[in-house]
Amino acid sequence: MLNPLFQLFQVLKRPSKGAFTMLLAVSLSFCLLTSAYKKDTGLPEPSLNSQTQLVSQKNKPVELNIVSFAVTRAAYANIIPLFQQKWQQEQNQEVRFRLSNAGSSTQARAVVNGLPADVVHLALALDINRIQKAGLIQPGWEQETPNHSIVTSTIGVIVTRAGNPKNIHTWADLANPGVSVVTADPKTSGIARWNFLAFWGSVTQTGGTEAQALDFVTRVYENVNVLAKDARDATDIFLRRKQGDVLINYENELILASQEGLAKDNFSVIPQINISIDNPIAVVDKYVDRRGTRQVAEAFVKFLYSPEAQREFAKVGFRPFNPTLVQEFSCKYPPINKLFTVQTLGGWSAVQEKFFKDGGVFDQIQAYIHSRTD
């Protein structure tokens, strides 16, 4: 490149008619050499569309995987479109959902075994703690959202056949001879554990001893012919297949069944000594960080506490905790005289160790029952 410049210098020293022509030729040569140099070095040239491409990528549809326990499907069918509309308006981004519903303990095991859930909404904190222990959720998840991460609550309800032919009015009546009880299996279902604790607490929270509680709960499970896999399966066994005299289930599940026309010929009893069935929610940290969905997952969980979402939960049977909604749904959800919690019984760690671990009280009861029927 120096030689053409030297020639130009010589020409300019002696002006002539060809000076301009030479200058133009050298300029073109310089441009061509510069272009070739850039191409050879592989340096990127600025793209006029780079900013547009970044914006387009940001607004690509995002998918959320929601893993929940069996009886929340109807609520989410109404809540998800509300959130999709809100996110589209605020973020100009489409959110697509994959919703999985099954027994709470079954869902927890699936997530631990690799089901890539962004959000888990399960029947009991014990199941979310199991996911935490697997390293998928960071400790302290209970403090990440309002109400200690409890997003829905309900209570236990007794449902009998039309006219209540077995004369069932309290938990105690479930142990009467000749009563066929339908409930779920505590090994696979969250509602089943809540049911067990409701039976146990109905004795210990009213002055009874643990020995009396053990005797009563054993007699109840002697009246259970088949343990359902989850709350929805228990409902189907009782209402669709017409098996059993009595169904024990969530209040919200029975309200939903009534809305679907399944429980119209049945008689419901709300025991006035009852347990607050609190259902927590959490973002699955490892999976949202891997999938790049943390922002939208956290926004969705936050939305579930909004009056709009809580109203949809209340419509399908979950008891609201927002004061305004409590008043709005006061006729649908009358107060309970004595409502205890799992903390009253020692908290989930103690409850799991005592009642539901392999070889715990529930297994001992089952072993005793099988030994009498073998």
Side-chain angles (χ1 to χ4, degrees), residues 103-150:
S104 186
S105 298
T106 300
Q107 294 288 63
R109 284 194 297 272
V111 173
V112 169
N113 290 333
L115 180 63
D118 297 298
V119 175
V120 286
H121 178 190
L122 299 180
L124 56 163
L126 179 69
D127 287 331
I128 294 186
N129 286 336
R130 185 176 302 168
I131 300 172
Q132 176 195 310
K133 290 178 181 177
L136 302 177
I137 296 176
Q138 293 298 317
W141 60 268
E142 303 96 325
Q143 309 307 319
E144 294 296 321
T145 50
N147 201 32
H148 300 287
S149 291
I150 302 302

Side-chain angles (χ1 to χ4, degrees), residues 210-221:
E210 292 212 335
Q212 290 171 323
L214 178 61
D215 175 68
F216 166 64
V217 175
T218 300
R219 287 187 289 117
V220 171
Y221 279 97

Side-chain angles (χ1 to χ4, degrees), residues 20 48 55-56 64 175 177 228 234 250 252 279 304 312 336:
F20 178 77
L48 295 176
V55 172
S56 176
L64 274 187
Y250 296 118
N252 67 283
N279 318 130
L304 294 181
E312 295 302 326
I336 304 299

Side-chain angles (χ1 to χ4, degrees), residues 177-205:
V179 175
S180 175
V181 177
V182 176
T183 185
D185 186 347
K187 294 295 185 179
T188 59
S189 169
I191 180 58
R193 298 189 184 202
W194 288 113
N195 289 349
F196 183 101
L197 297 179
F199 303 155
W200 190 274
S202 70
V203 176
T204 61
Q205 299 305 304

Side-chain angles (χ1 to χ4, degrees), residues 40 44 58 100 103 168-169 175 218 231 253 349 372 374:
D40 289 344
K58 179 182 178 182
S100 170
I168 306 294
H169 296 285
T218 300
E253 171 71 355
S349 293
R372 294 192 59 187
D374 289 344

Side-chain angles (χ1 to χ4, degrees), residues 160-169 179 244-246 265-267:
T160 76
R161 298 300 176 191
N164 194 9
K166 298 289 183 174
N167 199 29
I168 306 294
H169 296 285
V179 175
D245 301 313
V246 179
D265 296 326
N266 296 278
F267 179 78

Side-chain angles (χ1 to χ4, degrees), residues 157-337:
V157 174
I158 301 170
V159 183
T160 76
R161 298 300 176 191
N164 194 9
K166 298 289 183 174
N167 199 29
I168 306 294
H169 296 285
T170 68
W171 296 123
D173 295 331
L174 300 178
N176 292 342
V179 175
S180 175
V181 177
V182 176
T183 185
D185 186 347
K187 294 295 185 179
T188 59
S189 169
I191 180 58
R193 298 189 184 202
W194 288 113
N195 289 349
F196 183 101
L197 297 179
F199 303 155
W200 190 274
S202 70
V203 176
T204 61
Q205 299 305 304
T206 55
T209 65
E210 292 212 335
Q212 290 171 323
L214 178 61
D215 175 68
F216 166 64
V217 175
T218 300
R219 287 187 289 117
V220 171
Y221 279 97
E222 284 183 309
N223 285 341
V224 178
N225 294 324
V226 178
L227 289 169
K229 65 181 180 181
D230 56 38
R232 177 46 57 99
D233 187 43
T235 300
D236 286 344
I237 289 172
F238 185 78
L239 295 180
R240 294 184 187 275
R241 300 181 220 166
K242 306 298 182 182
Q243 297 179 23
D245 301 313
V246 179
L247 169 67
I248 315 301
N249 215 321
Y250 296 118
E251 179 184 43
N252 67 283
E253 171 71 355
L254 273 302
I255 289 174
L256 181 61
S258 295
Q259 292 173 353
E260 294 174 347
L262 292 177
K264 60 183 179 180
D265 296 326
N266 296 278
F267 179 78
S268 296
V269 177
I270 298 178
Q272 288 303 298
I273 302 164
N274 219 311
I275 189 166
S276 180
I277 299 173
D278 298 328
N279 318 130
I281 196 164
V283 170
V284 185
D285 296 294
K286 187 170 183 178
Y287 289 146
V288 296
D289 289 340
R290 177 190 299 171
R291 288 164 39 78
T293 54
R294 178 176 288 278
Q295 181 186 10
V296 67
E298 290 180 345
F300 179 67
V301 170
K302 181 179 179 181
F303 179 74
L304 294 181
Y305 287 89
S306 69
E308 305 98 294
Q310 285 293 308
R311 180 172 287 106
E312 295 302 326
F313 279 126
K315 286 179 181 178
V316 296
F318 291 98
R319 292 192 165 222
F321 48 81
N322 178 294
T324 301
L325 295 178
V326 169
Q327 181 63 31
E328 181 179 334
F329 289 91
S330 59
C331 293
K332 189 173 184 177
Y333 302 111
I336 304 299
N337 290 341

